[in-house]
Amino acid sequence: MSDEIIGVRKIRDWIQLINESDLSACEHGGSRSNRAKPQAGGIFERWLRSVYGDVPEFIREQKQWYQKILSTFADIYDVEAEVIIARAPARINLVGMHIDHRGGRVNPIAAKEIVIVAQPRDDDYIFLNDIDSEQFFPRRFRICEELPREKIENWLQWTELKSAEMKREGVAGDWANYAKAAALYLQELHRDALGRYTKKLKGMNALVAGSIPIAAGLGSSSALVVATAEALVKINQLNFTPQEFVSICGAAEWYVGTRGGFGDHAAIKLSQKGHISHIGFFPLQVDFVPFLDGYRVAICHTYKEAKKAAWAKSVFNERVATYEIGLMLLKQKFPAIRDKVQYFRDLHPERLGSDEAELYEMLKSLPIRITREELLQLLEEETDNLLELFRTHDEPKEGYRVRGVCLFGLAECARAELAASLLKNNDMVSFGELISISHDGDRVTRLVNGKRVKYHEEITDEYLDKIIADIRSNDKTRVESARLYRQPGGYAVSCEELDELVDIAMSLEGVLGAGRVGAGLGGCISVLVDENKTDELIRKISEEYYHP
């Protein structure tokens, strides 16, 4: 989980806290024989163990890392500074891809982290340095100067304009934008209708240090948003519930131009050691399911960066818009569902009072692909909404892949809902299968006769007719194969490298499932593997991918 650690202290006091031994158990009266033995480590070490587990070598490494961060802060800013420490882990979503913004569930675990050491300021300037100063250059900004004088009435629209402005100025991908996102949105929440500040936020001198690989699909950008928000909330003594905090971080990140939900931020804020978080949205709710002994999740990097550059943001936002387009088309075609469906996830047989075959019939009414011109003609009453969606991304050359994206989204919602019950029933084999099916919905290549070829899954009428016939048959095997959660769909934001890594991993006995992590177009895959096969998996991927 993300948090702020143990209050405000001077740099030297933090370092002393990291190094101290816990003798508090011997400070009370009573005979020596009745006193508890001192525990290894002090307050800070106990906190580390509560977060990372009782792994002595790793705890030692973490203590050394935190000391390095604090010492670097002292070198850059002030050795006598009183500072707080905020942290936010990476998120690794195993099942529930591309659907949190549609109301679907996610099933993440947490790993690695971003740490911010922050010294409160008396003004609203934020000075940013990164421990990796060669890659991330120092930045500074003043919160009030980044916001318009008048109150922002529509944050989404304002961030669209701001994102376009940053793109024109060539600063759209700057790392400081994620810290700005948190600071500006938190300040905007404290303005009245006339634009006056009801509380003017104090800034900070901040040092950022991260162990999360950047552009790897592990949520490093969202972690920076969350860690910045954690620091500013503490410095300014703001009070938010965890649910409010998660929603704030999700909306704040729109500042950088993406149009996602707040699944990453929920995973970062709410995660617990040793558990998978089963998180639902609208409203936010979370259940924690213990990760089963005997299995490991391996993270393998393609070394193709999944940077949120302009073209990548356009692809991400296009897919999000396609969900909206699909829902508009379905509501036009089937007016009876209008009152039953608020979010895309509500297109579920139980909510609609139908069965899966009828849902497939509805999907069959959607075009496989459709252009903007065709949409504006077909959905004339939605012109304003469509034009607003179009502004977030470039027009896809081959049209919006409406049917494939919508089938993926509905099936992924079903998979994400099912995931927790499989874990509770100790069914890791089926859980792993969900990961692999989900990746198939993102595939852009396949192996055919030993050669990797381009692959585009189009959801044709023939495909839907077959699964409709199968699910209405009396054959248990056919019915099961046609179930909604077993349909990959066609979201198609993988890449050749991700597909290759998945195929290598899945060729090893003992691997239960593998799939991309994050938004796609590069980054990492997650592999669910029998713990006894972990070393063999590492060797296989090293030999066949990293050192072929």
Side-chain angles (χ1 to χ4, degrees), residues 76-276:
I76 295 173
Y77 293 110
D78 181 4
V79 71
E80 295 296 321
E82 291 190 343
V83 299
I84 64 166
I85 301 177
R87 64 176 291 278
R91 65 90 189 95
I92 300 167
N93 189 19
L94 299 178
V95 181
M97 304 296 181
H98 319 310
I99 57 170
D100 59 303
H101 42 74
R102 303 300 99 191
R105 288 184 175 271
V106 295
N107 295 272
I109 57 176
K112 302 289 187 178
E113 65 190 339
I114 279 179
V115 172
I116 292 181
V117 175
Q119 176 189 23
R121 294 180 60 88
D122 292 328
D123 54 32
D124 68 338
Y125 279 95
I126 291 182
F127 287 75
L128 293 171
N129 280 270
D130 193 283
I131 201 164
D132 184 359
S133 58
E134 293 184 1
Q135 185 170 7
F136 302 103
F137 299 124
R139 295 286 186 263
R140 74 172 184 175
F141 62 92
R142 189 178 183 189
I143 297 173
C144 66
E145 290 180 352
E146 298 290 331
L147 291 168
R149 290 187 177 182
E150 66 279 3
K151 181 176 177 60
I152 298 172
E153 297 297 337
N154 187 314
W155 176 257
L156 177 61
Q157 290 181 357
W158 183 78
T159 57
E160 286 176 357
L161 296 173
K162 193 67 178 177
S163 177
E165 177 186 316
M166 290 189 290
K167 184 178 178 180
R168 289 193 300 271
E169 294 175 354
V171 296
D174 191 83
W175 73 281
N177 290 340
Y178 294 92
K180 278 186 184 179
L184 300 190
Y185 192 63
L186 283 170
Q187 181 62 85
E188 188 60 27
L189 291 175
H190 293 86
R191 290 216 279 185
D192 63 20
L194 298 177
R196 296 172 301 198
Y197 295 111
T198 57
K199 180 181 179 70
K200 196 166 185 179
L201 299 190
K202 292 182 178 180
M204 59 184 178
N205 298 327
L207 176 66
V208 179
S211 60
I212 307 172
I214 63 169
L218 301 179
S220 60
S221 301
S222 295
L224 180 53
V225 173
V226 173
T228 303
E230 292 279 14
L232 289 172
V233 164
K234 176 62 178 179
I235 286 170
N236 290 282
Q237 298 181 329
L238 306 178
N239 292 308
F240 299 109
T241 66
Q243 292 81 0
E244 290 170 338
F245 181 87
V246 165
S247 298
I248 286 167
C249 291
E253 196 165 333
W254 293 348
Y255 177 80
V256 303
T258 53
R259 290 295 174 262
F262 45 90
D264 288 355
H265 314 88
I268 291 165
K269 177 66 176 175
L270 304 174
S271 58
Q272 290 187 359
K273 176 173 64 73
H275 291 73
I276 288 179

Side-chain angles (χ1 to χ4, degrees), residues 247-433:
S247 298
I248 286 167
C249 291
E253 196 165 333
W254 293 348
Y255 177 80
V256 303
T258 53
R259 290 295 174 262
F262 45 90
D264 288 355
H265 314 88
I268 291 165
K269 177 66 176 175
L270 304 174
S271 58
Q272 290 187 359
K273 176 173 64 73
H275 291 73
I276 288 179
S277 304
H278 185 58
I279 305 173
F281 303 94
F282 314 133
L284 180 65
Q285 50 191 304
V286 60
D287 184 24
F288 298 102
V289 185
F291 191 83
L292 298 182
D293 292 336
Y295 300 93
R296 294 288 183 267
V297 174
I299 304 301
C300 309
H301 202 325
T302 62
Y303 286 101
K304 178 176 182 178
E305 292 189 342
K307 285 186 175 179
K308 292 186 176 70
W311 71 273
K313 287 180 183 176
S314 180
V315 173
F316 299 149
N317 291 343
E318 175 220 313
R319 297 297 196 272
V320 173
T322 302
Y323 280 130
E324 293 285 347
I325 290 166
L327 193 54
M328 290 178 191
L329 290 168
L330 287 172
K331 285 184 175 182
Q332 181 195 65
K333 183 72 174 180
F334 304 96
I337 72 171
R338 288 179 179 271
D339 294 336
K340 298 179 180 179
V341 177
Q342 182 177 4
Y343 303 104
F344 191 83
R345 59 106 191 270
D346 298 332
L347 287 166
H348 188 276
E350 289 184 9
R351 187 171 183 85
L352 298 177
S354 64
D355 59 23
E356 289 182 342
E358 291 173 294
L359 183 61
Y360 296 149
E361 293 280 10
M362 292 174 63
L363 287 174
K364 191 176 173 182
S365 74
L366 294 174
I368 295 175
R369 298 203 183 224
I370 192 168
T371 66
R372 287 185 176 180
E373 182 179 356
E374 291 168 334
L375 280 168
L376 289 169
Q377 292 175 356
L378 193 60
L379 294 169
E380 188 174 351
E381 71 282 5
E382 297 283 2
T383 296
D384 290 344
N385 290 330
L386 287 171
L387 292 176
E388 185 173 342
L389 285 175
F390 295 163
R391 283 196 294 269
T392 67
H393 59 278
D394 299 328
E395 182 171 7
K397 293 180 180 179
E398 298 178 355
Y400 294 90
R401 51 178 73 229
V402 179
R403 196 183 286 182
V405 167
C406 287
L407 178 56
F408 174 89
L410 294 176
E412 191 72 0
C413 285
R415 286 188 282 271
E417 188 70 38
L418 178 62
S421 62
L422 293 177
L423 289 174
K424 290 175 182 177
N425 291 326
N426 299 328
D427 189 355
M428 288 297 269
V429 172
S430 296
F431 184 85
E433 190 176 6

Side-chain angles (χ1 to χ4, degrees), residues 50-62:
S50 73
V51 173
Y52 304 109
D54 192 6
V55 185
E57 182 177 351
F58 186 71
I59 296 299
R60 283 195 298 272
E61 291 175 356
Q62 288 299 103

Side-chain angles (χ1 to χ4, degrees), residues 370-506:
I370 192 168
T371 66
R372 287 185 176 180
E373 182 179 356
E374 291 168 334
L375 280 168
L376 289 169
Q377 292 175 356
L378 193 60
L379 294 169
E380 188 174 351
E381 71 282 5
E382 297 283 2
T383 296
D384 290 344
N385 290 330
L386 287 171
L387 292 176
E388 185 173 342
L389 285 175
F390 295 163
R391 283 196 294 269
T392 67
H393 59 278
D394 299 328
E395 182 171 7
K397 293 180 180 179
E398 298 178 355
Y400 294 90
R401 51 178 73 229
V402 179
R403 196 183 286 182
V405 167
C406 287
L407 178 56
F408 174 89
L410 294 176
E412 191 72 0
C413 285
R415 286 188 282 271
E417 188 70 38
L418 178 62
S421 62
L422 293 177
L423 289 174
K424 290 175 182 177
N425 291 326
N426 299 328
D427 189 355
M428 288 297 269
V429 172
S430 296
F431 184 85
E433 190 176 6
L434 297 184
I435 298 173
S436 296
I437 295 172
S438 177
H439 182 80
D440 281 345
D442 265 331
R443 275 189 180 275
V444 294
T445 69
R446 280 195 182 279
L447 276 177
V448 177
N449 298 324
K451 293 184 178 180
R452 188 159 299 280
V453 298
K454 290 184 178 180
Y455 169 80
H456 297 287
E457 178 67 84
E458 297 286 15
I459 309 303
T460 62
D461 288 354
E462 291 75 18
Y463 178 97
L464 290 173
D465 286 339
K466 181 181 184 305
I467 59 175
I468 290 169
D470 286 343
I471 209 160
R472 285 177 172 164
S473 73
N474 293 320
D475 186 310
K476 290 184 178 180
T477 301
R478 290 177 62 192
V479 170
E480 180 60 25
S481 69
R483 293 292 307 279
L484 180 59
Y485 77 90
R486 289 192 174 277
Q487 308 313 309
Y491 206 85
V493 291
S494 185
C495 63
E496 181 176 341
E497 293 85 352
L498 286 168
D499 293 340
E500 182 181 357
L501 262 181
V502 166
D503 291 338
I504 292 171
M506 290 302 298

